[in-house]
Amino acid sequence: MSLSVNDPSLTSWVEVSKGSDFPVQNLPFGIIKVGDDQPRVASRIGEFAIDLKSMFVLGYMENLPFSLEDFDTDSLNIMMKKGKVGTRKLRERISKLFQAGSEDLHTKQHHVDQILISIDEVTMLMPIVIGDYTDFYSSEQHAYNVGCLFRDPENALMPNWKHIPVGYHGRASSIIPSGVDFHRPKGQKKPPTADVPVFGPSNLLDFELETAFFTYEGKPLGGSISTEEADDYIFGMALLNDWSARDIQGWEYVPLGPFLGKSFASHISCWIVTLDALEPFRVSGPVQDPKVLPYLEYSGDKHIAINLDVLIKPEGKEEVSVCKSNYKHMYWNMNQQLAHHSVNGCNIRLGDCMGSGTISGPNEGEYGSMLEISWKGTKPFPMPDGTERKFILDNDTVIMRGYCEKDGVRIGFGEVAAKVLPVT
Ligand code: CA
């Protein structure tokens, strides 16, 4: 799909530095708080937040299907009720106002001063009130690596894996925004040599490099969203660190799957990059063999090339890159995930969050969890400060960044970062 607001030749009268994640072709959405003001809906360009409430109040949203309550609020949910048609129009309007040569706003400095807020003055809040959280397991390399670690290379993938986008229902209440530090979880675990479980801090705390997508209102109970329709139900994406306590998880997960080893915290990046802005970066996915069932078939390029980085920053030290992966490596794409999720008639609701599953690339250095990087602790990752990492230590900050790049345009997500505090 070709949208004029994605034209690589567009520039803005707002100065945007070369390596910025937020050129005029991006225009993501988020919730900002400035000083004692009430939270509000914003977009972003370069080093500025665009205050959409002020833009509305000052009369720049005329003839759009929005009202003040869409922007004078602490989540994107109300605005998202306008669906893809509405949010696309909104992004087009913002683009038009900020494109080089556009004078409507640019010539009114007293309005510019109210609408553009230096990002240094802004606190980013949780962008969406998430109703349900579903986490998939859709990277073949990740599933293969985990299968090798816990079973054997011959039977690494479970028999269902290439037929079903495997997933589970996660916990929405503990999805929190980048920058909110959290304490190491504690729980029940059973060391391999012990006869009975013990209670204590997780010793095998891990990150999972994922992306998440967020939905518009879906269909009522009983309805299904096809792979063809899926794009119309996806608002946008963020980076997701789906933390895992491997020792708690390993003991509890039989037979019903992940529970307390996952539900203590999952962090998302705060700017939701619209699916529209990501369209130019579509790529083809892997050939799916065996052939999938008809409801999972799709046409066109439905994967997206998003460069992904994971870094660990020990307290007081420089950040260290531990993984470089790419979202294009997924076996199952978002359209297939959404079609599968709703094929039984499950109703998808506005603000649902769907995790990709850990995104591992095919080579060492591209693995999206410490479980794989340290190969279950057998190959510790050497840090420049002389320490090593099998899993994440107290006071480590884990940082994930992501961006697409093509035709001189870089569309990024910013970052999701959080520090692990000692157990309470
Ligand atoms: Ca996960």
Side-chain angles (χ1 to χ4, degrees):
M1 188 196 328
S2 172
L3 296 166
S4 62
V5 289
N6 292 337
D7 185 338
S9 69
L10 291 179
T11 56
S12 173
W13 51 264
V14 177
E15 196 184 316
V16 178
S17 64
K18 188 98 178 80
S20 172
D21 281 347
F22 304 102
V24 72
Q25 289 88 348
N26 191 343
L27 304 175
F29 294 102
I31 298 294
I32 61 167
K33 183 160 170 56
V34 183
D36 292 330
D37 291 348
Q38 291 297 311
R40 59 193 61 193
V41 173
S43 184
R44 170 138 182 199
I45 189 162
E47 290 304 298
F48 295 94
I50 303 171
D51 178 345
L52 297 188
K53 179 189 168 189
S54 295
M55 229 175 91
F56 183 90
V57 171
L58 294 169
Y60 291 97
M61 303 267 199
E62 274 180 16
N63 302 317
L64 288 179
F66 292 95
S67 54
L68 184 58
E69 65 161 5
D70 291 302
F71 307 115
D72 189 13
T73 171
D74 61 0
S75 80
L76 301 177
N77 295 54
I78 301 177
M79 183 193 102
M80 287 164 64
K81 285 182 189 167
K82 301 298 190 305
K84 179 150 280 193
V85 174
T87 54
R88 181 176 287 169
K89 281 185 181 149
L90 177 59
R91 187 165 157 268
E92 284 167 352
R93 177 66 58 87
I94 302 167
S95 171
K96 210 168 154 213
L97 286 167
F98 284 94
Q99 284 172 22
S102 167
E103 303 208 325
D104 288 359
L105 173 60
H106 190 194
T107 53
K108 299 186 185 70
Q109 190 59 43
H110 57 300
H111 285 178
V112 173
D113 291 343
Q114 288 176 70
I115 290 171
L116 286 186
I117 305 165
S118 171
I119 208 69
D120 302 334
E121 296 170 28
V122 167
T123 303
M124 298 299 302
L125 303 181
M126 188 68 187
I128 292 174
V129 176
I130 297 170
D132 280 300
Y133 168 43
T134 301
D135 194 27
F136 287 94
Y137 190 60
S138 291
S139 152
E140 181 174 0
Q141 187 67 47
H142 174 68
Y144 174 80
N145 287 347
V146 172
C148 289
L149 286 166
F150 291 96
R151 288 182 299 277
D152 65 275
E154 273 70 54
N155 301 298
L157 291 183
M158 289 301 223
N160 62 1
W161 200 87
K162 289 200 165 182
H163 297 279
I164 288 178
V166 171
Y168 74 99
H169 288 117
R171 182 81 191 163
S173 67
S174 52
I175 302 180
I176 47 181
S178 178
V180 175
D181 299 335
F182 70 108
H183 292 275
R184 176 176 296 274
K186 49 198 172 191
Q188 205 183 118
K189 56 210 177 157
K190 193 175 86 63
T193 52
D195 294 328
V196 292
V198 295
F199 179 83
S202 169
N203 295 322
L204 308 181
L205 181 61
D206 201 356
F207 61 79
E208 288 189 338
L209 169 63
E210 301 195 23
T211 59
F213 71 88
F214 300 87
T215 53
Y216 293 111
E217 188 63 36
K219 294 184 180 178
L221 189 72
S224 303
I225 297 169
S226 68
T227 57
E228 186 93 23
E229 296 169 319
D231 289 344
D232 292 336
Y233 290 90
I234 299 172
F235 170 55
M237 297 179 71
L239 304 171
L240 168 68
N241 182 350
D242 188 36
W243 297 96
S244 299
R246 301 292 181 199
D247 38 4
I248 297 171
Q249 190 180 359
W251 169 234
E252 74 178 357
Y253 85 106
V254 182
L256 289 186
F259 191 31
L260 305 187
K262 304 291 305 179
S263 60
F264 54 92
S266 305
H267 280 88
I268 61 166
S269 54
C270 291
W271 292 107
I272 308 298
V273 177
T274 63
L275 192 60
D276 276 355
L278 296 168
E279 288 295 341
F281 307 95
R282 294 279 196 186
V283 291
S284 61
V287 174
Q288 295 185 322
D289 179 24
K291 199 165 145 43
V292 298
L293 285 168
Y295 80 93
L296 289 169
E297 289 174 357
Y298 67 96
S299 58
D301 291 344
K302 293 301 173 194
H303 286 61
I304 304 175
I306 305 174
N307 299 290
L308 299 166
D309 292 308
V310 186
L311 306 102
I312 297 176
K313 185 182 181 307
E315 184 86 339
K317 307 268 174 59
E318 294 295 304
E319 56 189 41
V320 178
S321 172
V322 296
C323 162
K324 283 184 178 296
S325 185
N326 197 303
Y327 184 58
K328 71 181 178 188
H329 295 310
M330 302 305 289
Y331 189 82
W332 301 102
N333 59 51
M334 291 184 281
N335 299 59
Q336 294 179 306
Q337 290 170 337
L338 200 49
H340 182 66
H341 201 313
S342 61
V343 76
N344 64 344
C346 171
N347 46 336
I348 304 298
R349 295 185 299 187
L350 186 151
D352 285 354
C353 175
M354 314 265 174
S356 58
T358 307
I359 304 165
S360 293
N363 303 304
E364 264 189 73
E366 299 175 344
Y367 297 166
S369 66
M370 288 309 296
L371 178 71
E372 297 161 86
I373 292 169
S374 75
W375 210 249
K376 218 172 159 186
T378 60
K379 291 189 201 169
F381 184 91
M383 300 286 280
D385 65 1
T387 62
E388 59 183 31
R389 290 294 180 283
K390 296 175 181 172
F391 290 91
I392 301 303
L393 302 183
D394 286 350
N395 300 309
D396 281 352
T397 299
V398 174
I399 305 160
M400 296 175 179
R401 303 199 177 104
Y403 65 95
C404 308
E405 202 160 34
K406 190 182 165 188
D407 299 330
V409 176
R410 174 182 166 121
I411 300 288
F413 291 80
E415 66 180 30
V416 54
K419 182 158 84 171
V420 178
L421 304 170
V423 72
T424 51

